[in-house]
């Protein structure tokens, strides 16, 4: 029915980190990857112990991904598994995926006492603060010992650009798992970048899409969306600055180095 694109999308689905962001340029297949990351556990015997929730800030923005799920899950499980009024998928073994919006910080209080094993945020930078994201992390647990995780997809820009960049992008080179120490232990966090070229179907079937991105009046923002450049939107004095090009790893200073 579906196969992940080779490269970043496959790496994202294989990532063992508890917390992972799949982000970067437009057209990298981020929203689909979030659904696939939940779907790969369906039918593995977890039953009702595998429960996921998919968030967008505004529910009307969910139309495209809901339609995709009807096309993706429908032939496999039948569209009767989808409750249109509640926006829930309930699969034959009891697994459940819910679609919800979080427009305001207070909206997360509706999930007090709830238990999820898979939480995903689509377009994470649309949330101005990390409050909703952090709160929903507290809802991730499993009384049945099922492996649990939180996933997100996004592009640079948006009201939450700076906190997302600080949390995922600035901690180090992409593709690495970073150990995050907590009061009671630790977990791993990872950022996997994606570009339009990583989605061969879109890049091949709509070759003009890349050029249309540059019709945005703000050329720096357009470049961020096209190339997944997080620094160009961050208000840097040098708009051409790129962490991957202009920053080198820390190295020890030679003992015979000349100082002045």
């Amino acid at each position: 029915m579906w196969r992940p694109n080779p490269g970043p999308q496959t790496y994202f689905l294989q990532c063992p980190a508890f917390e992972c962001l799949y982000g970067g340029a437009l057209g990298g297949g981020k929203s689909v990857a979030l659904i696939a990351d939940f779907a790969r556990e369906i039918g593995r015997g977890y039953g009702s112990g595998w429960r996921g929730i998919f968030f967008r800030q505004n529910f009307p923005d969910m139309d495209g991904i809901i339609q995709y799920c009807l096309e993706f899950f429908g032939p496999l499980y039948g569209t009767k598994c989808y409750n249109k009024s509640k926006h829930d998928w309930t699969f034959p073994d009891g697994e459940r995926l819910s679609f919800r919006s979080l427009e305001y910080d207070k909206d997360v209080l509706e999930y007090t006492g709830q238990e999820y094993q898979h939480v995903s945020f689509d377009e994470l930078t649309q949330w101005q603060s990390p409050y909703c994201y952090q709160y929903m992390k507290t809802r991730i647990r499993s009384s049945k010992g099922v492996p649990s995780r939180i996933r997100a997809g996004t592009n640079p820009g948006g009201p939450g650009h700076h906190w997302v960049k600080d949390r995922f992008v600035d901690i180090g080179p992409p593709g690495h798992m970073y150990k995050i120490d907590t009061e009671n232990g630790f977990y791993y966090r990872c950022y996997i970048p994606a570009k339009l070229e990583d989605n061969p179907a879109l890049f091949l079937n709509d070759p003009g899409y890349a050029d249309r991105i540059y019709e945005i009046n703000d050329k720096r923002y357009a470049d961020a969306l096209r190339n997944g450049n997080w620094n160009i939107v961050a208000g840097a004095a040098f708009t051409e600055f790129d962490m991957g090009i202009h920053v080198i790893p820390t190295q020890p200073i030679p003992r015979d180095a000349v100082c002045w």
Side-chain angles (χ1 to χ4, degrees), residues 23-155:
L26 289 173
K30 297 179 293 297
S31 300
V32 172
L34 294 176
I35 296 297
D37 191 72
F38 172 84
R40 65 192 180 96
E41 307 293 354
I42 297 174
R44 293 200 176 188
Y46 299 145
S48 59
W50 183 245
R51 187 181 179 194
I53 189 164
F54 184 102
F55 287 114
R56 285 293 299 262
Q57 189 180 48
N58 300 300
F59 200 84
D61 296 336
M62 203 92 74
D63 288 348
I65 197 65
I66 288 178
Q67 180 59 37
Y68 174 80
C69 286
L70 288 169
E71 297 171 359
F72 182 72
F73 291 131
L76 292 172
Y77 306 106
T79 55
K80 290 183 178 179
C81 290
Y82 180 59
N83 187 316
K84 293 183 179 180
S85 60
K86 294 183 178 181
H87 307 291
D88 290 343
W89 278 92
T90 303
F91 300 95
D93 292 342
E95 305 94 338
R96 190 166 74 179
L97 176 63
S98 302
F99 296 93
R100 299 290 187 270
S101 62
L102 287 175
E103 188 172 359
Y104 305 105
D105 285 353
K106 63 180 178 62
D107 293 342
V108 296
L109 299 179
E110 298 178 13
Y111 302 98
T112 301
Q114 297 295 314
E115 178 180 302
Y116 297 96
Q117 292 71 51
H118 191 279
V119 173
S120 54
F121 282 78
D122 198 18
E123 299 301 343
L124 187 60
T125 56
Q126 294 304 305
W127 281 270
Q128 187 170 5
S129 81
Y131 180 80
C132 290
Y133 182 86
Q134 293 280 46
Y135 185 89
M136 288 309 302
K137 277 182 65 181
T138 70
R139 304 298 90 207
I140 302 175
R141 60 187 188 272
S142 175
S143 57
K144 299 182 179 181
V146 176
S148 304
R149 54 190 180 267
I150 184 168
R151 295 291 184 261
T154 198
N155 304 117

Side-chain angles (χ1 to χ4, degrees), residues 197-216:
E197 289 81 357
D198 298 323
N199 188 352
L202 178 60
F203 197 67
L204 179 64
N205 296 328
D206 192 356
Y209 178 67
D211 293 332
R212 293 197 295 273
I213 295 175
Y214 285 99
E215 293 180 4
I216 299 174

